[in-house]
């Protein structure tokens, strides 16, 4: 049990703890991954925490905050050693989505998680300088960028453009668009394989996962999964991909060697996100409608 509406979980890069956003309670729940117990609560008075990411050294967390009226839209910086909000940065996006930090930790990229076509800044990715703690750039992509992930080496950044049916490939050195890849309806979550060769993209309304060959920027496989897959994650060894299927309360397990579904795991009500320990021992799934996290044994 982790409190009201756990909507998103992210394990810190050091693997020692995870942060869970509790939207309706305006708190972050801290989970000790060694004991699988709640070790703390961080109040977020600025508004409902929606998503969270970490600096490469796990010392800082970046929390995306917005409310239903879109009157609050900012990123809160948290010192993970003291569990305190140290600063906030106002963003242009009305609904800042799951952020990702550059491999060197210097810049934070924040997509707009809005699902309405044509809204102001609905196609904008905000760029924040994590040292100076202020907004330093805006990247225009096709409408409704939902998820961001860096490729191996940090040269390219990939954006799932939810209402445009595209994945946009960005040159991370100058933030220019390199290519747009057609992936079908409502691309949502995405994950890069540990070896950097494949990008896995969930289709929320299409109920499938597209696998993109990074070398060619082409879709090489499409695998049916459960209903409304939101997020996905690779095992650290790259042998399996896990998708969280929000409307049928399951996690689909895909063998990446042959793109075959090998298991379907029942989890709690309305699963929304998954995060995997760096050692590959366990994965954690947030169940938004029953206030819990399921712990999956994925060791082989």
């Amino acid at each position: 049990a982790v409190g009201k509406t756990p909507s998103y979980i992210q394990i810190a890069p050091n693997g020692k703890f995870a942060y869970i956003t509790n939207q309706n309670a305006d708190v972050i729940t801290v989970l000790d991954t060694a004991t699988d117990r709640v070790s703390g609560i961080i109040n977020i008075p600025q508004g409902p925490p929606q998503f969270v990411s970490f600096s490469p050294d796990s010392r800082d967390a970046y929390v995306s905050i917005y409310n239903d009226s879109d009157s609050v839209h900012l990123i809160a910086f948290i010192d993970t050693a003291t569990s305190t909000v140290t600063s906030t940065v106002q963003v242009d996006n009305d609904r800042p989505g799951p952020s990702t930090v550059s491999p060197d930790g210097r810049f934070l990229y924040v997509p707009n998680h809005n699902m309405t076509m044509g809204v102001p800044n609905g196609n904008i990715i905000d760029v924040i300088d994590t040292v100076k703690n202020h907004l330093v750039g805006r990247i225009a992509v096709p409408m409704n960028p939902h998820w961001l992930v860096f490729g191996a080496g940090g040269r390219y950044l990939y954006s799932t453009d939810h209402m445009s049916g595209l994945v946009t490939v960005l040159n991370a050195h100058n933030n220019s668009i390199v290519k747009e890849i057609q992936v079908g309806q409502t691309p949502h979550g995405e994950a890069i394989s540990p070896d950097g060769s494949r990008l896995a993209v969930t289709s929320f309304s299409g109920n499938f996962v597209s696998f993109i060959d990074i070398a060619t920027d082409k879709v090489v496989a499409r695998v049916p999964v459960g209903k409304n897959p939101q997020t996905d994650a690779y095992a650290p060894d790259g042998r399996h991909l896990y998708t969280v299927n929000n409307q049928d309360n399951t996690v689909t397990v895909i063998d990446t060697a042959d793109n075959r579904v090998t298991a379907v795991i029942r989890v709690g009500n309305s699963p929304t996100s998954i995060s995997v320990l760096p050692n590959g021992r366990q994965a954690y799934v947030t169940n938004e409608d029953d206030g819990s996290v399921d712990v999956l044994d994925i060791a082989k």
Side-chain angles (χ1 to χ4, degrees):
V2 293
K4 294 180 180 179
T5 57
S7 59
Y8 192 74
I9 185 169
Q10 186 65 50
I11 297 170
N14 64 17
K16 294 181 179 180
F17 57 92
Y19 276 14
I20 302 160
T21 59
N22 297 89
Q23 295 173 338
N24 289 0
D26 290 353
V27 300
I28 297 284
T29 300
V30 184
L31 184 71
D32 185 324
T33 57
T35 63
D36 290 336
R37 295 181 181 275
V38 172
S39 60
I41 299 292
I42 304 172
N43 291 315
I44 308 295
Q46 293 81 8
Q50 308 285 345
F51 306 97
V52 63
S53 63
F54 290 97
S55 60
D57 61 10
S58 303
R59 293 181 178 179
D60 296 291
Y62 311 109
V63 181
S64 299
I65 298 170
Y66 62 79
N67 57 10
D68 290 340
S69 65
D70 299 332
S71 61
V72 175
H73 39 96
L74 52 85
I75 300 294
F77 286 55
I78 294 178
D79 182 328
T80 61
T82 62
S83 296
T84 56
V85 176
T86 57
S87 64
T88 60
V89 178
Q90 186 87 5
V91 292
D92 293 326
N93 293 337
D94 55 4
R95 299 202 167 194
S99 63
T100 190
V101 70
S102 57
D104 62 4
R106 182 61 193 270
F107 297 104
L108 185 73
Y109 294 77
V110 186
N112 196 334
H113 211 65
N114 198 303
M115 288 185 291
T116 304
M117 292 292 283
V119 296
N121 299 321
N123 66 328
I124 295 298
I125 297 170
D126 286 322
V127 185
I128 295 172
D129 186 317
T130 61
V131 176
K132 298 179 180 179
N133 293 0
H134 70 256
L135 196 65
V136 294
R138 292 158 46 96
I139 307 170
V141 296
M143 283 299 291
N144 310 108
H146 257 40
W147 228 268
L148 300 171
V149 65
F150 275 93
R155 181 180 180 185
Y156 296 110
L157 179 67
Y158 300 86
S159 166
T160 58
D161 307 322
H162 189 71
M163 300 305 289
S164 301
L166 299 170
V167 169
T168 299
V169 185
L170 297 163
N171 183 325
H173 297 302
N174 58 21
N175 296 335
S176 64
I177 293 178
V178 177
K179 186 175 291 188
E180 295 172 355
I181 306 169
Q182 292 278 353
V183 291
Q185 65 265 47
T186 55
H188 198 79
E190 58 181 342
I192 195 79
S193 63
D195 66 1
S197 67
R198 296 285 175 94
L199 181 70
V201 180
T202 62
S203 169
F204 183 75
S205 60
N207 304 328
F208 60 80
V209 173
S210 296
F211 288 91
I212 297 172
D213 186 321
I214 293 301
T216 62
D217 289 332
K218 294 185 181 301
V219 175
V220 294
R222 180 173 285 178
V223 181
V225 293
K227 189 174 181 180
N228 296 147
Q230 285 200 191
T231 64
D232 55 354
Y234 275 94
D237 62 6
R239 292 176 56 194
H240 296 94
L241 180 83
Y242 308 95
T243 73
V244 172
N245 309 311
N246 180 255
Q247 290 300 304
D248 63 8
N249 304 332
T250 63
V251 170
T252 299
V253 184
I254 299 172
D255 187 321
T256 57
D258 56 10
N259 301 319
R260 181 173 53 92
V261 173
T262 58
V264 177
I265 305 168
R266 299 293 303 182
V267 291
N269 292 326
S270 302
T272 51
S273 68
I274 185 169
S275 192
V276 177
L277 281 176
N279 64 13
R281 179 173 53 90
Q282 293 178 166
Y284 297 80
V285 177
T286 51
N287 302 308
E288 188 171 28
D289 286 348
D290 64 16
S292 70
V293 166
D294 279 325
V295 186
L296 310 182
D297 180 355
I298 61 171
K300 297 294 183 181

